[in-house]
Amino acid sequence: GHIVRNWKVRWFVLLQDKLLYYKIEGGKKEPSPKGRILLDGCTITCPCLEYENRPLLIKLKTKTNTDYFLECCSREERDSWALDITGAIHAGHPVQVQELHRMKNSFKLLDNISLHDIVERMYDSSTGIKLTRNLDQGNRYKETFTGSALVDWLISNSFAVSRFEAVTLASMLMDENFIRPVGVRSTEATRSSDPSEKFLDDSTALYMFAENGKKNTSSKEEVQFNISELSGTIVKQGFLVKQGHKRKNWKVRRFVLRSDPAFLHYYDPTKEENKPVGGFSLRGCLVSALEDNGVPAGVKGNVQGNLFKIITKNDIHYYIQASSKAERVQWIEAIKPLT
């Protein structure tokens, strides 16, 4: 509504140059329209993410700067309406209409897209992806987002022009370990042999950032958490080279292995403060050496050899290089009993 900002059910009819809407009484639309939206000079935004709890919105802005927010019943219906309304807006330009239909189910990922830049935008507190608590199969997950919410966000931020493109882009983010699936539906989908089905454009499929370094926790919570992690007995420590999760570059880190509780932390030796820049629990982890004949999948950049991999219980992959085969064996043998 324009005066009282409430939401009302209306019956819409799309004509060539206007969108009519009718009141519904007794399950039937009234004979005369309640109002109309002239499409000449309109701009359309779909998906519109201005209302956090209403993900199925289309926004129309008329050439007189009047905003209309229209909510659909499903994403498929929303996208279908948006395509047809856009076609009506550009009705006088048949080439543009043909291009719109071509783009709907085509893949034309922009050459200059940086996955790192997308993730940085996703983290933004005001314009990034909205993180929520979700329940799945009795398990509670903090700071997650749904597959369909990410697809909407990628389109609304012009990283993709269709849901097909956005799903492909989201799959790339998952393959590069920027995001990861949580919960039954999204985790099971990753086992699909079809790459196009590994990421789900679904409101029940849950995902989260692979690294928790940018989560907004209070300093009190962080201190308590770190004290618990860092209270274990140091079993082994030394310098290793670790592949980053985002830029896939290799950096020297000082690793510290602790038991009771079993954690592996890593520190940036170039920083004076003695605080870990990352770490994870070893409970439920898998650790294994990687063969030196060829570069394994998931590993990029300058690889000297003596690689080993740690997979956490949450299916996050860490690739680490030792300075020698003997050192690699020592680290693996020290880590294995703590998993």
Side-chain angles (χ1 to χ4, degrees):
H2 285 295
I3 301 171
V4 180
R5 293 288 180 175
N6 53 357
W7 296 85
K8 294 177 180 177
V9 176
R10 294 288 183 255
W11 182 270
F12 280 81
V13 176
L14 176 62
L15 302 180
Q16 186 173 2
D17 61 344
K18 65 178 74 72
L19 194 59
L20 304 179
Y21 54 95
Y22 299 77
K23 288 183 68 174
I24 297 179
E25 292 292 341
K28 296 181 179 179
K29 75 179 180 70
E30 293 186 343
S32 300
K34 175 73 175 174
R36 64 179 184 171
I37 305 171
L38 297 177
L39 297 177
D40 179 44
C42 264
T43 58
I44 183 170
T45 303
C46 178
C48 172
L49 305 183
E50 291 187 28
Y51 288 83
E52 186 176 341
N53 61 339
R54 294 182 181 271
L56 304 178
L57 289 185
I58 296 170
K59 178 183 177 181
L60 286 175
K61 181 185 282 290
T62 68
K63 66 179 180 181
T64 58
N65 289 325
T66 303
D67 290 341
Y68 290 89
F69 293 92
L70 316 178
E71 184 172 34
C72 301
C73 298
S74 68
R75 281 179 167 80
E76 292 76 18
E77 187 181 69
R78 180 198 65 189
D79 293 347
S80 177
W81 270 99
L83 189 70
D84 290 337
I85 292 171
T86 306
I89 292 172
H90 299 295
H93 307 278
V95 174
Q96 284 183 282
V97 177
Q98 290 175 7
E99 181 67 10
L100 285 167
H101 284 273
R102 188 194 68 77
M103 288 194 306
K104 184 181 178 184
N105 293 307
S106 68
F107 178 67
K108 193 184 71 175
L109 197 61
L110 298 177
D111 294 333
N112 60 349
I113 279 184
S114 162
L115 295 183
H116 178 72
D117 291 341
I118 292 174
V119 174
E120 288 296 315
R121 288 273 296 278
M122 287 174 66
Y123 271 120
D124 190 282
S125 58
S126 58
T127 60
I129 189 85
K130 302 300 180 186
L131 303 178
T132 59
R133 294 171 181 264
N134 282 286
L135 185 67
D136 182 89
Q137 301 283 316
N139 295 316
R140 294 184 182 277
Y141 298 99
K142 296 180 180 179
E143 299 190 338
T144 60
F145 47 87
T146 66
S148 52
L150 177 56
V151 169
D152 284 349
W153 185 89
L154 289 168
I155 295 172
S156 68
N157 284 271
S158 303
F159 290 117
V161 297
S162 68
R163 302 195 78 77
F164 177 70
E165 274 194 25
V167 167
T168 305
L169 190 51
S171 300
M172 292 168 64
L173 290 171
M174 192 164 62
D175 289 342
E176 294 297 319
N177 209 31
F178 289 110
I179 63 173
R180 64 182 179 86
V182 291
V184 176
R185 282 215 66 197
S186 56
T187 303
E188 286 183 350
T190 60
R191 301 188 180 99
S192 172
S193 57
D194 187 344
S196 66
E197 297 177 358
K198 289 183 182 294
F199 181 89
L200 298 178
D201 179 7
D202 193 292
S203 59
T204 63
L206 302 180
Y207 299 87
M208 69 187 305
F209 290 115
E211 285 193 339
N212 300 327
K214 294 195 177 184
K215 286 184 178 179
N216 295 322
T217 56
S218 70
S219 57
K220 185 176 181 182
E221 288 176 341
E222 189 175 349
V223 169
Q224 290 175 342
F225 186 65
N226 286 341
I227 287 174
S228 171
E229 283 191 10
L230 302 172
S231 63
T233 304
I234 294 178
V235 175
K236 183 175 177 60
Q237 59 181 313
F239 291 95
L240 298 166
V241 183
K242 172 187 167 294
Q243 179 178 262
H245 285 297
K246 294 179 182 177
R247 296 184 179 177
K248 301 296 181 183
N249 52 353
W250 293 87
K251 292 183 179 179
V252 175
R253 294 289 182 252
R254 181 171 64 88
F255 280 79
V256 178
L257 178 63
R258 294 180 173 89
S259 63
D260 300 321
F263 273 85
L264 183 63
H265 291 97
Y266 47 95
Y267 300 73
D268 186 344
T270 64
K271 295 183 178 179
E272 294 183 6
E273 56 182 14
N274 192 31
K275 291 182 179 180
V277 294
F280 50 92
S281 170
L282 290 172
R283 296 301 180 196
C285 283
L286 297 174
V287 57
S288 60
L290 297 176
E291 297 299 326
D292 293 338
N293 52 346
V295 179
V299 175
K300 296 184 178 181
N302 185 20
V303 180
Q304 303 297 325
N306 307 313
L307 277 171
F308 64 99
K309 178 170 71 172
I310 301 175
I311 306 175
T312 70
K313 187 169 64 174
N314 296 326
D315 200 34
I316 299 176
H317 294 223
Y318 289 86
Y319 294 98
I320 302 168
Q321 294 186 60
S323 61
S324 66
K325 288 186 177 180
E327 185 182 45
R328 178 174 66 180
V329 169
Q330 292 170 8
W331 273 101
I332 292 174
E333 289 182 348
I335 291 170
K336 271 187 176 178
L338 303 178
T339 59

